[in-house]
Amino acid sequence: MEQRQHRQQRVKEAFQRCWQAYREKAWLKDEFAPVSEGWKNNFGGFGATLVDNLDTLLIMDLNTEFEEAVAAAIGIDFNPASSTLEAINIFETTIRHLGGFLGAYELTECEDKRLLDKAVEIGDMIYKCFDTPNRMPITHCNLLKAAAGELQIAPDDGLLAELASFSMEFTRLSQLTGDMRWFDATQRITDMLDEQQNHTTLPGMWPAKVNARESDVRVGRQYSIGGETDSAYEYLIKMCALLGRGDLMEQYKRMYEFSMGTVFQHILFRPLVPDNADILIPGSVTANSRGETSFNAKAEHLACVFGGMLALGGRLFQNDTHLENGRKVTRGCVWAYKNSPLGIMSDSVQMIKCNSDEDCEWYGDRSDWYETTPDPSYRLRPEAIESVFYLYRITGEEMYQDIAWEMFQAVDKATRTASANAMLSNVMSGHTSKQDSMESFWMSETLKYFYLIFSEPGLLSLDTFVFNTEAHPFRRN
């Protein structure tokens, strides 16, 4: 008990350092710049770090700071004219700002209506970006043109994750307000994905590149569950948790199970590693119209979320295969952490695929377990600790707390600056430099999951809550 509480307190102190730096030097800005001690407005100047961390403050019992933050957040003017960007990424605005206000509202027992009012304000702003001829969203939206009612057209070269990751936030906003506009908007996207799921060049999955303008998610040829696609698949199982029952839940369940069947067959691979560990890693596939496929064994940190997602699916539907594969993917990402020079997995690393589960013995003339590092940086990402958190909560196995503690110590030591934590340029060598970036998800996701894994299981129980892709808790039906 004392060890768990000590670890949790250490995580809390790391959060408080970063929050104090943001409060003193970047208040109401999108991000604190941890090297220059300045600030950035990468998300329209709408206080991304502030809004993204409202619920984190409550979770960590920082109630005075929460009240101060809410008072500031409700004063943010989401008028398009006040945006620092000509076009905003409405996917990021949805998961960070809309999700942030909704999550905080949930944790006030749905009593602080100011938070719901701001969620509606953002929801209205985003909804205008769906005002296109086919009702597909403009994922990088000029808010001034949208507010003026100018004709806009959805992109023909969009990303799957940016198109297909509104379902949780829009559905929950409709549930809480009784206004079905947002649910209807996202359900139109879900129905399109459902109708075309069996007609892509890799049936069961959708490609990273999609043509929203033509309502066509079959045009791309690259498939993965990492960058550009991850949250689209994540939200299939999380919508099952949010909805709980009924025809809509069954639709998401069917889509989830279909997609995972394809993932198991084509995407997951066992990597060749020196200790012959029985682990899995998500890769990617190129599939052409003739059914020919080529495989890429690049491991992405973003894809580490898949371990927890599978574990959640296994728990919801009593599917031991999904749970076991979730374990192996989570162990794979943990293995990459432990076997990297700084104890931190890089953003991407090119691994070696075993010929088969039976033909997977390490050969001694190799010096490294990877071939190249396409992106050796560490961006303070949360996906690996998120999956470790899910495996701990679902299995109750305390070894996951020990794994989390090793990860936290390595990350905090390597990324700590004078007043916060910073992105690292290269974690695959002994020489790295700190970059002037600390995105809002460092506190709202990474530190939140580190904190929660050392909490009592009743704090944000998975029986009661489901987290959006930015770690904002929504109450399940």
Side-chain angles (χ1 to χ4, degrees):
M1 177 69 75
E2 290 182 2
Q3 182 185 68
R4 175 187 65 76
Q5 291 174 331
H6 166 73
R7 292 172 172 180
Q8 187 182 56
Q9 181 61 30
R10 283 281 305 278
V11 176
K12 182 175 180 178
E13 289 168 0
F15 176 88
Q16 288 175 297
R17 286 181 71 251
C18 295
W19 182 257
Q20 189 66 17
Y22 174 76
R23 180 181 177 274
E24 292 178 356
K25 300 172 183 177
W27 195 240
L28 289 171
K29 307 300 184 183
D30 284 336
E31 296 175 12
F32 172 64
V35 176
S36 65
E37 303 270 313
W39 51 266
K40 299 179 181 181
N41 275 334
N42 295 336
F43 296 98
F46 295 136
T49 294
L50 176 66
V51 178
D52 217 3
N53 282 284
L54 294 174
D55 54 21
T56 319
L57 293 168
L58 275 180
I59 290 165
M60 295 189 181
D61 291 322
L62 298 172
N63 296 316
T64 300
E65 291 87 342
F66 172 74
E67 292 300 333
E68 179 186 41
V70 170
I74 62 173
I76 296 174
D77 182 7
F78 287 97
N79 187 319
S82 66
S83 174
T84 60
L85 300 176
E86 180 178 356
I88 67 162
N89 184 321
I90 62 168
F91 160 70
E92 297 288 358
T93 303
T94 298
I95 65 173
R96 299 182 195 225
H97 292 85
L98 179 53
F101 279 117
L102 288 173
Y105 179 63
E106 297 272 22
L107 296 189
T108 67
E109 302 297 329
C110 297
E111 291 183 357
D112 193 333
K113 298 298 183 184
R114 298 174 299 170
L115 297 168
L116 183 60
D117 288 344
K118 293 304 284 188
V120 169
E121 182 181 338
I122 297 168
D124 284 340
M125 179 180 74
I126 296 169
Y127 187 74
K128 289 183 172 65
C129 299
F130 283 72
D131 188 14
T132 64
N134 66 346
R135 309 299 291 169
M136 291 293 121
I138 303 164
T139 49
H140 292 256
C141 185
N142 185 311
L143 297 176
L144 283 174
K145 290 183 178 179
E150 292 187 29
L151 177 64
Q152 300 191 91
I153 302 174
D156 59 3
D157 60 347
L159 301 178
L160 177 68
E162 292 182 347
L163 174 68
S165 304
F166 298 97
S167 54
M168 287 190 70
E169 295 82 5
F170 275 25
T171 298
R172 191 62 185 141
L173 184 58
S174 286
Q175 288 175 335
L176 290 169
T177 62
D179 187 334
M180 300 305 291
R181 286 180 298 146
W182 297 289
F183 170 77
D184 289 343
T186 192
Q187 186 60 33
R188 189 177 294 109
I189 297 172
T190 299
D191 288 341
M192 177 184 66
L193 294 170
D194 190 6
E195 291 164 3
Q196 298 181 31
Q197 187 173 13
N198 195 36
H199 302 288
T200 66
T201 58
L202 194 67
M205 295 184 71
W206 305 276
K209 303 294 185 182
V210 295
N211 184 346
R213 183 176 301 173
E214 302 296 331
S215 301
D216 191 346
V217 291
R218 301 164 297 181
V219 294
R221 297 293 182 263
Q222 303 289 329
Y223 297 82
S224 79
I225 52 172
E228 303 181 345
T229 67
D230 47 354
S231 52
Y233 295 101
E234 176 188 352
Y235 274 20
L236 296 178
I237 189 59
K238 290 186 173 181
M239 280 298 290
C240 293
L242 181 65
L243 294 167
R245 60 187 180 276
D247 292 342
L248 289 172
M249 191 282 288
E250 292 295 335
Q251 179 185 27
Y252 280 102
K253 179 183 178 183
R254 173 169 40 79
M255 295 167 69
Y256 163 75
E257 291 178 338
F258 188 9
S259 65
M260 291 307 99
T262 303
V263 166
F264 292 170
Q265 182 179 356
H266 293 282
I267 299 294
L268 292 188
F269 72 98
R270 184 177 177 185
L272 187 69
V273 292
D275 59 359
N276 301 313
D278 186 12
I279 56 179
L280 291 173
I281 293 288
S284 61
V285 164
T286 301
N288 64 27
S289 58
R290 297 184 298 277
E292 300 165 337
T293 62
S294 60
F295 185 80
N296 185 347
K298 182 175 75 172
E300 293 185 69
H301 197 289
L302 282 166
C304 287
V305 71
F306 186 66
M309 190 184 86
L310 273 178
L312 179 62
R315 180 178 185 270
L316 287 178
F317 302 129
Q318 292 79 53
N319 188 316
D320 291 340
T321 299
H322 285 213
L323 178 56
E324 182 57 25
N325 283 344
R327 286 180 192 266
K328 289 184 177 182
V329 170
T330 302
R331 289 205 303 260
C333 292
V334 169
W335 193 97
Y337 265 74
K338 287 184 175 181
N339 289 276
S340 297
L342 298 181
I344 304 170
M345 180 182 176
S346 66
D347 214 57
S348 65
V349 57
Q350 195 72 35
M351 300 185 76
I352 308 160
K353 182 183 180 182
C354 295
N355 292 325
S356 67
D357 281 350
E358 293 73 31
D359 184 10
C360 200
E361 287 292 318
W362 181 259
Y363 40 95
D365 58 340
R366 287 197 59 88
S367 59
D368 293 318
W369 53 270
Y370 58 90
E371 294 186 314
T372 60
T373 52
D375 187 346
S377 68
Y378 173 64
R379 302 172 182 269
L380 304 174
R381 291 201 192 276
E383 293 80 19
I385 183 56
E386 177 178 355
S387 284
V388 173
F389 161 76
Y390 271 99
L391 264 294
Y392 170 66
R393 283 289 183 92
I394 288 168
T395 68
E397 296 173 9
E398 293 183 358
M399 69 171 184
Y400 289 108
Q401 290 182 312
D402 295 332
I403 290 169
W405 181 239
E406 289 183 12
M407 292 170 63
F408 172 74
Q409 291 181 100
V411 168
D412 189 48
K413 177 182 178 181
T415 64
R416 181 175 283 241
T417 66
S419 56
N421 296 79
M423 170 185 167
L424 301 176
S425 62
N426 189 339
V427 295
M428 299 304 287
S429 74
H431 307 284
T432 189
S433 61
K434 295 182 175 72
Q435 305 299 294
D436 204 17
S437 174
M438 186 181 79
E439 286 207 46
S440 64
F441 56 65
W442 163 244
M443 290 190 284
S444 72
E445 294 188 73
T446 310
L447 289 179
K448 182 185 290 175
Y449 284 123
F450 274 123
Y451 183 86
L452 286 173
I453 199 171
F454 300 124
S455 71
E456 295 286 355
L459 179 61
L460 297 187
S461 166
L462 296 181
D463 292 330
T464 307
F465 290 96
V466 59
F467 296 91
N468 85 332
T469 196
E470 196 74 5
H472 297 304
F474 297 169
R475 197 172 297 272
R476 296 174 56 187
N477 279 355

